[in-house]
Amino acid sequence: MPRETADTLGEFLRARRGQIGPEQAGLPAGPRRRVPGLRREEVAQLAGISPEYYLRLEQGRNLNPSDQILTALATALQLDEDAVAYLHRLAHPAPPVRRPRGRAGTDRAGLQPLLDSWPRTAAYVQGAGGRVVAANRLAVLLCPFFAVGSNPLRAAFLEPEMRSLYPQWDDMTAKAVSGLRAMIDVDEADAELLATIGELTVASERFSTLWTRREVRRRDTGRTRFHHPAVGELDLHYEKLVRPQARELLVLYYADEGSVDAERLDLLGREA
């Protein structure tokens, strides 16, 4: 796999301790602190382990830490539930799973009528490689990069139209990257998705910065604001539903019933 898409336990620990200041951890800042974040010995102190042991973890010389050690490190680094799960995945990766060839996406044709039956919900399906494999009309009207064949992740960072469509672009892109880390297993990820991550690491400074932070947070539900050129502001709910057998992701956008956003979404759906 491309090196820029891989991750190790040591890299994750280094990145996360760099994002926590001593004050956040209840430690005195002290003089002559040349770089932000916690020092190795401070993480070791907070986790109740020796500095030498922690150094071996960061250097990749101890590849089998116990669950007790991982729990202590998670507490020291103030990791949330998703980041804790990611920490355990890095420390104890699951054995590779053989997937039946040709299984992914076998029922895409059957999904399209379902998506089309939701005239007031924008819906599209992403395949394992990140490309859209099915979409309804409202999804494409909401965002042209939700059309079949498009790659919404790539578009988010490389297409200028996405900055104007998403007034909270910084927040949207941060959620996209932290959610991506939470959902994918790099060791089993589709080659096209890994290639996209590698491309964005080089082509987008924003993506590279976010990917390097190694923030991990899964967001299956929430709200997203759009500034649509045809109907103006839209504040929509989103739902992301994983279809594990097909290795696909179903994404839905919808408005609160009776709201101004619902009226504007209906107006968008009547666009020629």
Side-chain angles (χ1 to χ4, degrees):
M1 74 186 68
R3 182 63 192 90
E4 59 269 20
T5 65
D7 205 358
T8 67
L9 176 62
E11 289 168 336
F12 181 68
L13 292 173
R14 281 193 296 274
R16 296 315 301 257
R17 72 175 170 86
Q19 296 174 47
I20 300 179
E23 295 87 353
Q24 293 174 267
L27 298 173
R32 300 171 61 184
R33 188 174 290 269
R34 293 176 294 177
V35 294
L38 296 174
R39 299 184 175 115
R40 291 191 185 94
E41 58 269 22
E42 290 172 332
V43 177
Q45 175 188 341
L46 291 168
I49 60 179
S50 72
E52 294 77 12
Y53 182 88
Y54 180 76
L55 177 62
R56 291 200 300 273
L57 288 174
E58 281 205 0
Q59 292 179 339
R61 293 190 289 122
N62 187 322
L63 301 180
N64 192 32
S66 68
D67 288 343
Q68 182 179 2
I69 292 294
L70 295 177
T71 298
L73 289 171
T75 301
L77 296 172
Q78 302 179 16
L79 303 183
D80 61 17
E81 182 178 349
D82 292 324
V84 171
Y86 187 73
L87 175 70
H88 280 263
R89 277 164 46 195
L90 290 175
H92 305 302
V97 177
R98 290 180 62 101
R99 300 182 183 274
R101 300 188 67 177
R103 182 68 178 273
T106 54
D107 59 349
R108 289 172 188 164
L111 277 178
Q112 190 61 55
L114 175 63
L115 304 188
D116 291 339
S117 72
W118 296 332
R120 306 186 69 193
T121 298
Y124 67 91
V125 178
Q126 284 180 270
R131 290 187 184 274
V132 176
V133 297
N136 65 10
R137 180 173 175 273
L138 187 57
V140 180
L141 289 171
L142 180 62
C143 174
F145 301 107
F146 295 163
V148 172
S150 298
N151 185 322
L153 176 67
R154 186 180 185 279
F157 291 92
L158 300 184
E159 298 293 346
E161 296 94 327
M162 295 293 265
R163 285 179 176 261
S164 57
L165 183 63
Y166 288 90
Q168 297 172 322
W169 183 81
D170 285 346
D171 183 61
M172 181 274 288
T173 52
K175 288 180 178 178
V177 175
S178 62
L180 177 63
R181 274 210 182 270
M183 293 182 67
I184 72 167
D185 185 337
V186 173
D187 290 328
E188 293 188 40
D190 185 272
E192 182 179 5
L193 178 57
L194 294 179
T196 298
I197 294 172
E199 177 191 7
L200 291 175
T201 301
V202 175
S204 169
E205 182 178 355
R206 172 67 175 165
F207 181 90
S208 179
T209 298
L210 292 171
W211 190 252
T212 302
R213 286 180 190 170
R214 291 175 169 79
E215 293 179 353
V216 182
R217 182 165 298 174
R218 182 165 181 163
R219 296 177 175 88
D220 296 326
T221 64
R223 300 184 77 98
T224 297
R225 287 179 55 200
F226 294 87
H227 180 75
H228 198 278
V231 297
E233 298 294 325
L234 290 166
D235 185 6
L236 303 180
H237 297 276
Y238 69 80
E239 299 273 350
K240 297 182 179 181
L241 308 173
V242 177
R243 306 180 67 235
Q245 293 301 319
R247 302 184 69 191
E248 293 175 342
L249 180 69
L250 171 62
V251 183
L252 311 174
Y253 287 99
Y254 59 95
D256 287 317
E257 189 71 25
S259 66
V260 173
D261 301 294
E263 294 176 2
R264 291 175 177 171
L265 200 59
D266 288 343
L267 178 61
L268 180 62
R270 294 196 293 271
E271 289 285 309

